[in-house]
Amino acid sequence: MSDIYRDNSLKYWNETHKDVKRSDIKTDDWLYRFDDLIEASASPILDLGCGGGNDTLYLIDKGKNVISCDQSPKAIQSIIKNFPEVYDAKCFNMLDGFPFEDGSFEIVIADLCLHYFREDDTRKILKEIYRILANGGHLIFRVNSINDINHGAGQGKEIEHHLFETESHTIKRFFDEADIREFFKDFDIEFMNEEIMTRYSLEKRLYRCCVQKKNVRG
Ligand SMILES: C[S@@+](CC[C@H](N)C(=O)[O-])C[C@H]1O[C@@H](n2cnc3c(N)ncnc32)[C@H](O)[C@@H]1O
């Protein structure tokens, strides 16, 4: 990502994350399908790009130890305020590498936070996720679908295949199945489904996925 997009993204998300109350935080229960994996995880669960904590809330309600991470200090302040029971909360930019040891996690959650990057940066971030997952560990994520026309798919300047500049001069990728199979080829895809999320005022089309780290990098 060129520095301008990186700076714009931080500015955009710092302005977007408002001081919310815990009682106003809602989860849309998309993780429900993966409860067996979540319940079996003995290590803390990483919530990447946690924002205000929709998924942190779901995981804490399940009694899990959660490490919530985001680039936005505003988001992390809000997590610490609303979730005093969170195991840890870390403010870092995924583009700078991840401050965790190899094989630290059985489960990494990345909800709507992996689609803001150029191809080379996306690959770098996925390599980091691969590194910090234990063998056989799972990455559970959602990304924009190429059919997400209510939220910018196919609109604005296409600066790379399926990557568009937004009105706020940030960048957003929209995936199709082939993109997901290609970007996540170091993982086994266990679940991939295009669906509609109704958490926002306009319906959002996205892919919900669960991929497993292959034991041997091939
Ligand atoms: C659409 S929000 C998703 C928030 C939350 N996961 C959810 O689904 O409610 C995207 C989040 O990703 C974070 N994010 C975007 N780029 C990032 C980066 N390079 N490093 C860390 N976090 C980033 C943003 O700050 C923002 O909080």
Side-chain angles (χ1 to χ4, degrees):
M1 192 195 271
S2 77
D3 276 348
I4 188 69
Y5 290 130
R6 178 183 170 131
D7 295 349
N8 290 351
S9 169
L10 181 58
K11 183 166 179 290
Y12 175 82
W13 286 110
N14 267 332
E15 287 170 2
T16 301
H17 290 309
K18 305 284 179 237
D19 189 17
V20 283
K21 288 195 296 226
R22 179 165 175 154
S23 53
D24 292 333
I25 299 171
K26 303 272 176 288
T27 165
D28 58 305
D29 281 359
W30 70 285
L31 288 171
Y32 173 77
R33 187 171 215 291
F34 312 107
D35 273 355
D36 288 355
L37 289 176
I38 288 168
E39 268 150 28
S41 173
S43 49
I45 296 179
L46 192 61
D47 183 9
L48 286 175
C50 62
N54 299 293
D55 301 312
T56 294
L57 172 65
Y58 184 86
L59 297 166
I60 280 179
D61 279 352
K62 291 245 160 266
K64 304 312 289 186
N65 287 328
V66 186
I67 302 181
S68 305
C69 310
D70 205 282
Q71 65 171 342
S72 160
K74 286 276 291 285
I76 294 302
Q77 281 158 17
S78 166
I79 291 284
I80 291 166
K81 184 195 83 172
N82 283 322
F83 302 105
E85 68 270 58
V86 78
Y87 187 80
D88 201 358
K90 284 189 186 291
C91 191
F92 69 93
N93 194 308
M94 290 191 277
L95 292 167
D96 296 331
F98 290 30
F100 304 108
E101 302 289 319
D102 295 2
S104 301
F105 299 99
E106 288 156 80
I107 297 190
V108 172
I109 309 286
D111 191 10
L112 303 173
C113 66
L114 295 177
H115 46 221
Y116 296 115
F117 309 102
R118 289 184 185 278
E119 180 184 340
D120 55 344
D121 286 330
T122 307
R123 291 192 193 286
K124 235 193 290 175
I125 288 170
L126 293 180
K127 215 169 157 187
E128 277 294 90
I129 295 176
Y130 185 96
R131 179 184 69 73
I132 63 169
L133 273 173
N135 281 340
H138 288 85
L139 166 63
I140 301 172
F141 66 97
R142 297 195 292 189
V143 286
N144 297 325
S145 157
I146 196 67
N147 298 313
D148 191 20
I149 49 171
N150 286 338
H151 298 273
Q155 296 148 43
K157 185 169 144 208
E158 188 170 28
I159 58 173
E160 270 180 15
H161 180 60
H162 289 174
L163 182 74
F164 294 84
E165 186 173 301
T166 69
E167 282 173 2
S168 42
H169 303 292
T170 57
I171 49 177
K172 245 177 163 183
R173 179 175 297 284
F174 296 87
F175 289 78
D176 62 16
E177 279 200 21
D179 295 334
I180 293 174
R181 289 190 193 288
E182 213 289 315
F183 274 112
F184 294 84
K185 60 178 181 290
D186 289 337
F187 298 83
D188 287 319
I189 296 179
E190 291 192 342
F191 179 85
M192 170 167 59
N193 194 39
E194 189 184 14
E195 43 201 57
I196 291 173
M197 183 186 86
T198 54
R199 200 172 74 194
Y200 301 152
S201 53
L202 293 175
E203 281 186 350
K204 177 168 183 63
R205 275 194 179 265
L206 46 72
Y207 279 94
R208 171 163 52 154
C209 302
C210 177
V211 299
Q212 184 176 34
K213 175 175 175 171
K214 290 179 184 171
N215 282 329
V216 179
R217 202 170 183 116

PDB file of all heavy atoms in Angstrom, residues 113-124:
ATOM      1  N   CYS A 113     -11.723  -7.064   7.382  1.00  0.00           N
ATOM      2  CA  CYS A 113     -10.509  -6.240   7.525  1.00  0.00           C
ATOM      3  C   CYS A 113      -9.376  -6.694   6.607  1.00  0.00           C
ATOM      4  O   CYS A 113      -8.279  -6.145   6.670  1.00  0.00           O
ATOM      5  CB  CYS A 113     -10.039  -6.223   8.976  1.00  0.00           C
ATOM      6  SG  CYS A 113      -9.464  -7.822   9.555  1.00  0.00           S
ATOM      7  N   LEU A 114      -9.626  -7.683   5.736  1.00  0.00           N
ATOM      8  CA  LEU A 114      -8.539  -8.161   4.858  1.00  0.00           C
ATOM      9  C   LEU A 114      -8.682  -7.648   3.434  1.00  0.00           C
ATOM     10  O   LEU A 114      -7.947  -8.087   2.548  1.00  0.00           O
ATOM     11  CB  LEU A 114      -8.509  -9.706   4.839  1.00  0.00           C
ATOM     12  CG  LEU A 114      -8.162 -10.386   6.159  1.00  0.00           C
ATOM     13  CD1 LEU A 114      -8.249 -11.910   6.001  1.00  0.00           C
ATOM     14  CD2 LEU A 114      -6.768  -9.984   6.637  1.00  0.00           C
ATOM     15  N   HIS A 115      -9.625  -6.720   3.231  1.00  0.00           N
ATOM     16  CA  HIS A 115      -9.889  -6.310   1.841  1.00  0.00           C
ATOM     17  C   HIS A 115      -9.482  -4.863   1.564  1.00  0.00           C
ATOM     18  O   HIS A 115     -10.035  -4.231   0.671  1.00  0.00           O
ATOM     19  CB  HIS A 115     -11.369  -6.562   1.469  1.00  0.00           C
ATOM     20  CG  HIS A 115     -12.348  -6.096   2.501  1.00  0.00           C
ATOM     21  ND1 HIS A 115     -13.459  -6.818   2.853  1.00  0.00           N
ATOM     22  CD2 HIS A 115     -12.364  -4.987   3.270  1.00  0.00           C
ATOM     23  CE1 HIS A 115     -14.132  -6.164   3.786  1.00  0.00           C
ATOM     24  NE2 HIS A 115     -13.486  -5.049   4.040  1.00  0.00           N
ATOM     25  N   TYR A 116      -8.510  -4.373   2.316  1.00  0.00           N
ATOM     26  CA  TYR A 116      -8.100  -2.971   2.155  1.00  0.00           C
ATOM     27  C   TYR A 116      -6.701  -2.817   1.571  1.00  0.00           C
ATOM     28  O   TYR A 116      -6.092  -1.767   1.749  1.00  0.00           O
ATOM     29  CB  TYR A 116      -8.141  -2.261   3.508  1.00  0.00           C
ATOM     30  CG  TYR A 116      -9.529  -2.191   4.091  1.00  0.00           C
ATOM     31  CD1 TYR A 116      -9.857  -2.858   5.262  1.00  0.00           C
ATOM     32  CD2 TYR A 116     -10.533  -1.465   3.449  1.00  0.00           C
ATOM     33  CE1 TYR A 116     -11.137  -2.794   5.792  1.00  0.00           C
ATOM     34  CE2 TYR A 116     -11.812  -1.403   3.959  1.00  0.00           C
ATOM     35  CZ  TYR A 116     -12.101  -2.067   5.130  1.00  0.00           C
ATOM     36  OH  TYR A 116     -13.379  -2.009   5.635  1.00  0.00           O
ATOM     37  N   PHE A 117      -6.219  -3.828   0.865  1.00  0.00           N
ATOM     38  CA  PHE A 117      -4.795  -3.821   0.535  1.00  0.00           C
ATOM     39  C   PHE A 117      -4.525  -4.185  -0.922  1.00  0.00           C
ATOM     40  O   PHE A 117      -5.264  -4.966  -1.535  1.00  0.00           O
ATOM     41  CB  PHE A 117      -4.049  -4.812   1.450  1.00  0.00           C
ATOM     42  CG  PHE A 117      -4.358  -4.587   2.901  1.00  0.00           C
ATOM     43  CD1 PHE A 117      -5.252  -5.404   3.575  1.00  0.00           C
ATOM     44  CD2 PHE A 117      -3.785  -3.529   3.580  1.00  0.00           C
ATOM     45  CE1 PHE A 117      -5.565  -5.172   4.909  1.00  0.00           C
ATOM     46  CE2 PHE A 117      -4.083  -3.283   4.916  1.00  0.00           C
ATOM     47  CZ  PHE A 117      -4.981  -4.117   5.584  1.00  0.00           C
ATOM     48  N   ARG A 118      -3.408  -3.643  -1.408  1.00  0.00           N
ATOM     49  CA  ARG A 118      -2.896  -4.051  -2.711  1.00  0.00           C
ATOM     50  C   ARG A 118      -2.530  -5.532  -2.649  1.00  0.00           C
ATOM     51  O   ARG A 118      -2.336  -6.088  -1.569  1.00  0.00           O
ATOM     52  CB  ARG A 118      -1.636  -3.245  -3.048  1.00  0.00           C
ATOM     53  CG  ARG A 118      -1.892  -1.795  -3.365  1.00  0.00           C
ATOM     54  CD  ARG A 118      -0.563  -1.163  -3.770  1.00  0.00           C
ATOM     55  NE  ARG A 118      -0.712   0.260  -3.978  1.00  0.00           N
ATOM     56  CZ  ARG A 118      -1.181   0.807  -5.105  1.00  0.00           C
ATOM     57  NH1 ARG A 118      -1.529   0.042  -6.117  1.00  0.00           N
ATOM     58  NH2 ARG A 118      -1.287   2.117  -5.212  1.00  0.00           N
ATOM     59  N   GLU A 119      -2.364  -6.113  -3.817  1.00  0.00           N
ATOM     60  CA  GLU A 119      -2.094  -7.554  -3.874  1.00  0.00           C
ATOM     61  C   GLU A 119      -0.856  -7.947  -3.056  1.00  0.00           C
ATOM     62  O   GLU A 119      -0.902  -8.889  -2.259  1.00  0.00           O
ATOM     63  CB  GLU A 119      -1.906  -7.982  -5.336  1.00  0.00           C
ATOM     64  CG  GLU A 119      -1.633  -9.461  -5.449  1.00  0.00           C
ATOM     65  CD  GLU A 119      -1.355  -9.917  -6.870  1.00  0.00           C
ATOM     66  OE1 GLU A 119      -1.717  -9.205  -7.821  1.00  0.00           O
ATOM     67  OE2 GLU A 119      -0.759 -10.999  -7.000  1.00  0.00           O
ATOM     68  N   ASP A 120       0.259  -7.221  -3.238  1.00  0.00           N
ATOM     69  CA  ASP A 120       1.479  -7.625  -2.528  1.00  0.00           C
ATOM     70  C   ASP A 120       1.302  -7.495  -1.014  1.00  0.00           C
ATOM     71  O   ASP A 120       1.763  -8.350  -0.244  1.00  0.00           O
ATOM     72  CB  ASP A 120       2.715  -6.853  -3.038  1.00  0.00           C
ATOM     73  CG  ASP A 120       2.540  -5.347  -2.972  1.00  0.00           C
ATOM     74  OD1 ASP A 120       1.391  -4.875  -2.821  1.00  0.00           O
ATOM     75  OD2 ASP A 120       3.551  -4.629  -3.062  1.00  0.00           O
ATOM     76  N   ASP A 121       0.602  -6.449  -0.564  1.00  0.00           N
ATOM     77  CA  ASP A 121       0.367  -6.286   0.875  1.00  0.00           C
ATOM     78  C   ASP A 121      -0.596  -7.358   1.399  1.00  0.00           C
ATOM     79  O   ASP A 121      -0.425  -7.867   2.510  1.00  0.00           O
ATOM     80  CB  ASP A 121      -0.199  -4.890   1.161  1.00  0.00           C
ATOM     81  CG  ASP A 121       0.871  -3.814   1.028  1.00  0.00           C
ATOM     82  OD1 ASP A 121       2.056  -4.113   1.282  1.00  0.00           O
ATOM     83  OD2 ASP A 121       0.533  -2.676   0.656  1.00  0.00           O
ATOM     84  N   THR A 122      -1.595  -7.698   0.603  1.00  0.00           N
ATOM     85  CA  THR A 122      -2.531  -8.752   1.023  1.00  0.00           C
ATOM     86  C   THR A 122      -1.748 -10.053   1.239  1.00  0.00           C
ATOM     87  O   THR A 122      -1.932 -10.758   2.236  1.00  0.00           O
ATOM     88  CB  THR A 122      -3.627  -8.968  -0.048  1.00  0.00           C
ATOM     89  OG1 THR A 122      -4.241  -7.715  -0.339  1.00  0.00           O
ATOM     90  CG2 THR A 122      -4.680  -9.949   0.420  1.00  0.00           C
ATOM     91  N   ARG A 123      -0.862 -10.344   0.304  1.00  0.00           N
ATOM     92  CA  ARG A 123      -0.076 -11.588   0.425  1.00  0.00           C
ATOM     93  C   ARG A 123       0.819 -11.552   1.662  1.00  0.00           C
ATOM     94  O   ARG A 123       0.986 -12.556   2.361  1.00  0.00           O
ATOM     95  CB  ARG A 123       0.766 -11.808  -0.830  1.00  0.00           C
ATOM     96  CG  ARG A 123      -0.081 -12.137  -2.039  1.00  0.00           C
ATOM     97  CD  ARG A 123       0.751 -12.646  -3.199  1.00  0.00           C
ATOM     98  NE  ARG A 123      -0.032 -12.651  -4.411  1.00  0.00           N
ATOM     99  CZ  ARG A 123      -1.006 -13.533  -4.695  1.00  0.00           C
ATOM    100  NH1 ARG A 123      -1.290 -14.499  -3.856  1.00  0.00           N
ATOM    101  NH2 ARG A 123      -1.680 -13.456  -5.834  1.00  0.00           N
ATOM    102  N   LYS A 124       1.407 -10.373   1.939  1.00  0.00           N
ATOM    103  CA  LYS A 124       2.282 -10.229   3.110  1.00  0.00           C
ATOM    104  C   LYS A 124       1.490 -10.483   4.398  1.00  0.00           C
ATOM    105  O   LYS A 124       1.945 -11.189   5.297  1.00  0.00           O
ATOM    106  CB  LYS A 124       2.829  -8.789   3.142  1.00  0.00           C
ATOM    107  CG  LYS A 124       4.342  -8.718   3.185  1.00  0.00           C
ATOM    108  CD  LYS A 124       4.842  -7.323   3.533  1.00  0.00           C
ATOM    109  CE  LYS A 124       4.602  -6.316   2.434  1.00  0.00           C
ATOM    110  NZ  LYS A 124       4.954  -4.940   2.773  1.00  0.00           N
TER     111      LYS A 124
END
